[in-house]
Amino acid sequence: MSTKTLTLVAVLTAVLCVCGPLAVPIGPVPISLTSGVLMLIALLLGAGRSTLCCAVYLLLGLVGLPVFSSFRAGMSVLAGPTGGYLVGFLPMTAICGYFCARTNKRTLQAAALAGATALLYIIGTAWFVYQTGKTLPVALGACVLPFLPGDALKILLVVSGGNLLKARLQKANLL
């Protein structure tokens, strides 16, 4: 990896670590900026480098830096009821990055982000059901339905603003 790539990954991981803890507790799963920031990073960097950012973020949280929602950290968070959403960020980011790197069409990018977010919901909700013993309808009501409007807004913002940011960063030879 080049110095430029390492610096880019480090800076965007730092942005993720700053935004990730900011959360609104609405139930067992808080509203946070993490998924939106990861979508943006994936749009900017593609699959490999964005997944690296996500992995470093998870490792930083695992070793105790309070980078997860509501300034939490540690194995207990990753292994807890909401840990599936954290683990699900890895495939979500890889899918977002893979498809966004292959098209400039915003509708296709939005579809990729929506599909990857659906996968995140599946992984996180299955983990939540397993950890808590709640029924699937209860888990969907607590862990998915409240997040649909916000995630739709995140996708729209990332696809519109992210492409503009990407063009500017490419013009400045930073990507």
Side-chain angles (χ1 to χ4, degrees), residues 74-162:
M75 186 62 181
S76 63
V77 178
L78 277 172
T82 60
Y85 295 98
L86 291 168
V87 172
F89 285 147
L90 284 167
M92 182 198 84
T93 304
I95 290 168
C96 290
Y98 178 83
F99 286 105
C100 287
R102 283 159 176 72
T103 185
N104 289 325
K105 292 187 178 185
R106 292 179 182 189
T107 54
L108 294 176
Q109 290 175 338
L113 297 178
T117 301
L119 177 63
L120 174 67
Y121 288 153
I122 291 167
I123 295 168
T125 304
W127 189 302
F128 182 83
V129 166
Y130 175 77
Q131 289 284 335
T132 64
K134 305 270 187 205
T135 64
L136 182 59
V138 169
L140 290 174
C143 302
V144 176
L145 295 178
F147 298 91
L148 292 175
D151 285 341
L153 180 61
K154 289 175 192 176
I155 290 168
L156 291 173
L157 290 173
V158 166
V159 169
S160 58

Side-chain angles (χ1 to χ4, degrees), residues 12 28-30 40 44 49 55 60 62 79 85-86 89 93 100 103 113 116 142 145 149 159 166 168 173-174:
L12 290 174
V29 180
L40 177 62
L44 294 174
R49 296 180 296 172
L60 290 171
L62 180 65
Y85 295 98
L86 291 168
F89 285 147
T93 304
C100 287
T103 185
L113 297 178
L145 295 178
V159 169
K166 184 176 183 177
R168 299 238 171 131
N173 198 28
L174 295 173

Side-chain angles (χ1 to χ4, degrees), residues 8 12 15 37 39-41 43-45 106 157-175:
L8 192 58
L12 290 174
V15 169
V37 173
M39 288 183 225
L40 177 62
I41 291 171
L43 186 131
L44 294 174
L45 299 183
R106 292 179 182 189
L157 290 173
V158 166
V159 169
S160 58
N163 281 302
L164 178 61
L165 178 61
K166 184 176 183 177
R168 299 238 171 131
L169 290 172
Q170 286 172 333
K171 186 176 180 182
N173 198 28
L174 295 173
L175 283 182

Side-chain angles (χ1 to χ4, degrees), residues 58-74:
L58 293 174
L59 288 172
L60 290 171
L62 180 65
V63 300
L65 290 175
V67 296
F68 299 147
S69 66
S70 303
F71 298 93
R72 296 177 303 142

